[in-house]
Amino acid sequence: MEPRAFGQAKHGLGHAWRALRHRNFRLFFGGQSISLIGTWMTRIATSWLVYRLTGSALLLGTVSFCGQIPTFLFAPFAGVWVDRLDRRQVLVWTQILSMVQSLLLAGLTLSHHITIHYVLALSVMQGIINAFDMPGRQAFMVQMVEDRRDLSNAIAINSSMVNMARLVGPSLAGMLIAVSSEGWCFLIDGLSYLAVIASLLLMRLPVTSVKRKVASTFADMKVGWTYVSEFLPVRTILLLFAVVSLMGMPFVVLMPIFAARVLHGGPHTLGFLMGAMGVGALISALALAARKSVLGLVRMIPVAAAVFGLGLIGFGLSRAFWLSMIMVLIAGMGMMQGMAGSNTIIQTIVSEDKRGRVMSYYTMAFVGMAPFGSLLAGSMAHAVGAPWTVIANGSAVLLGAVWFWTQLPAVRREIRPIYRELGILPPIEEVPQ
């Protein structure tokens, strides 16, 4: 591989947005920006619809579980197929099926035929689609950004886009539900997928031969598992990420309890807390976009996890609204910094022929652990209360960060040769004999 300059060239779009100089990523950014707002509208509308239909907090959790558990079960199989098939075609089909799912929800809701059973069935359908969509989307990222030095910037911009949609989508959904029906949110979401499908079809990609594997799906899964479990950097990052997802992420499920019982507020209090978390995550994503290189990100992963853990502990201890807002903002910053940093490192160092399978395990750690974490958090909150649950969970995340820090020298030792091969680090000077 040719040596490359280690500094980043400055482009007209500005250093923090340099990934947008790639036409394919610009198309993706435009289509996804529209679609993600619809996705967040559907999330809020679904929760409100379930509560309106049943008045049951248990069924709220059940619908969430049904939407997430298929990802845990099917992601390893999906990763194999993502590596075997054309990734763009995989994404086109997942977007089409997601559009069908949203339009079915819209039709049933607007015609007043919707029942909790339909919601549960369609949540399972979306969970299965996500099992293929998430690893496919992550693995496809490297194909949209021709210069791998811009990959970390693309991931950071993508994270910024998600968090901007997190701030805009729920607000739009709330206003729309107040004046009409949840069905219109589902309809807007369904139509928004057309933007992503169009952006994918308009991309100009080099023709690549799709390898038709003769090995069985299970044999390919085993190869992927062996690669993930034996490659120390990926294994260590995914283990920490699984702990963060299992113990840290579910604090969002307990937010309504904090808003109502701990801070003695109402729906507006919950909205402010969720908004603060989104602002913290957005700040982190924008800070990552301004980074010049992937160098230093490995060290940042345990620091980000520690910030997330400390933010959770502070939130659990707080009884003042203003302090809770600050703690949630800090937790959101640590959460997003760790997520985007982990994604960037894995995407940079992973072997291309196993990218889909590795990203499927990343998806399992990110989304697949969430339903178990939600059940665990709910059980703990019932037994000891929401504040102590969040404090215990934050402590577990903090311990995970400490463990990762002890593994840091070995992880960096294994990553360094890969960085040199990619031109991220300068080659070792040959010593004259």
Side-chain angles (χ1 to χ4, degrees):
M1 184 177 291
E2 256 178 53
R4 297 184 295 193
F6 311 127
Q8 287 289 342
K10 291 186 178 179
H11 307 290
L13 287 168
H15 178 76
W17 304 97
R18 62 190 181 278
L20 291 174
R21 67 192 176 97
H22 303 282
R23 178 181 180 275
N24 292 335
F25 186 72
R26 282 200 307 275
L27 286 167
F28 176 78
F29 179 84
Q32 194 69 5
S33 295
I34 296 169
S35 181
L36 280 170
I37 292 173
T39 299
W40 279 103
M41 290 178 72
T42 282
R43 288 190 184 184
I44 297 300
T46 301
S47 296
W48 189 262
L49 175 64
V50 171
Y51 196 71
R52 179 172 66 81
L53 289 174
T54 68
S56 169
L58 176 62
L59 281 171
L60 272 173
T62 304
V63 169
S64 177
F65 184 85
C66 288
Q68 292 172 325
I69 196 63
T71 303
F72 179 81
L73 297 175
F74 291 104
F77 298 93
V80 172
W81 289 100
V82 167
D83 278 336
R84 291 184 180 188
L85 303 175
D86 183 300
R87 290 167 187 167
R88 172 164 60 177
Q89 292 302 317
V90 170
L91 290 179
V92 168
W93 279 107
T94 60
Q95 300 310 293
I96 291 172
L97 291 172
S98 293
M99 179 171 67
V100 169
Q101 190 263 3
S102 291
L103 293 178
L104 283 172
L105 265 176
L108 289 166
T109 305
L110 292 172
S111 64
H112 306 291
H113 289 98
I114 193 69
T115 66
I116 188 62
H117 299 96
Y118 283 130
V119 177
L120 287 168
L122 289 170
S123 294
V124 171
M125 175 183 173
Q126 189 61 56
I128 295 171
I129 295 167
N130 287 342
F132 288 82
D133 181 73
M134 291 189 69
R137 187 186 303 267
Q138 298 293 340
F140 188 59
M141 187 74 71
V142 74
Q143 290 179 245
M144 290 187 286
V145 182
E146 294 89 349
D147 188 342
R148 193 175 290 205
R149 290 173 297 178
D150 292 339
L151 181 60
S152 61
N153 184 249
I155 292 170
I157 291 174
N158 186 57
S159 300
S160 304
M161 183 168 52
V162 171
N163 285 289
M164 282 299 295
R166 186 203 295 264
L167 295 175
V168 175
S171 302
L172 290 177
M175 290 188 290
L176 197 56
I177 293 168
V179 299
S180 57
S181 160
E182 302 92 352
W184 292 105
C185 294
F186 301 140
L187 180 61
I188 291 170
D189 183 30
L191 295 176
S192 74
Y193 284 105
L194 292 171
V196 188
I197 295 168
S199 73
L200 289 166
L201 294 177
L202 286 170
M203 288 182 187
R204 298 172 192 155
L205 298 169
V207 178
T208 54
S209 57
V210 178
K211 296 179 182 177
R212 303 293 177 186
K213 303 279 186 178
V214 293
S216 69
T217 299
F218 286 100
D220 275 353
M221 280 175 61
K222 184 179 179 182
V223 170
W225 172 253
T226 301
Y227 179 81
V228 166
S229 60
E230 293 183 357
F231 188 19
L232 179 66
V234 172
R235 183 182 73 215
T236 309
I237 290 171
L238 289 186
L239 281 173
L240 175 62
F241 209 50
V243 170
V244 169
S245 184
L246 178 69
M247 302 303 294
M249 305 293 192
F251 87 101
V252 178
V253 176
L254 304 177
M255 281 279 208
I257 299 174
F258 278 92
R261 298 183 188 173
V262 178
L263 301 175
H264 308 292
H268 63 285
T269 309
L270 176 60
F272 280 123
L273 290 173
M274 295 296 289
M277 184 177 70
V279 169
L282 181 60
I283 290 170
S284 266
L286 292 174
L288 283 167
R291 289 181 64 91
K292 294 184 177 181
S293 168
V294 71
L295 294 176
L297 275 183
V298 177
R299 192 187 308 112
M300 192 193 72
I301 291 172
V303 173
V307 169
F308 183 31
L310 290 171
L312 291 181
I313 292 170
F315 180 59
L317 291 171
S318 172
R319 297 295 180 270
F321 175 67
W322 65 270
L323 182 57
S324 295
M325 288 279 286
I326 293 172
M327 290 298 108
V328 169
L329 187 142
I330 290 171
M333 289 177 64
M335 178 183 69
M336 178 51 60
Q337 199 89 350
M339 281 168 44
S342 300
N343 190 343
T344 302
I345 295 295
I346 292 174
Q347 290 271 38
T348 302
I349 66 176
V350 72
S351 173
E352 182 59 35
D353 63 327
K354 300 177 184 68
R355 186 178 297 276
R357 280 165 284 181
V358 172
M359 297 319 294
S360 73
Y361 286 110
Y362 173 89
T363 301
M364 282 182 69
F366 177 37
V367 177
M369 300 305 291
F372 301 106
S374 297
L375 289 176
L376 179 61
S379 302
M380 288 175 64
H382 180 72
V384 300
W388 282 110
T389 299
V390 171
I391 291 168
N393 286 1
S395 301
V397 172
L398 196 55
L399 287 174
V402 172
W403 168 78
F404 190 98
W405 191 266
T406 66
Q407 305 296 307
L408 200 53
V411 170
R412 294 173 70 188
R413 192 161 51 245
E414 288 211 22
I415 287 178
R416 208 168 285 125
I418 302 172
Y419 280 2
R420 288 201 177 94
E421 183 184 348
L422 294 172
I424 296 170
L425 280 174
I428 299 173
E429 295 292 336
E430 291 187 10
V431 180
Q433 300 297 321

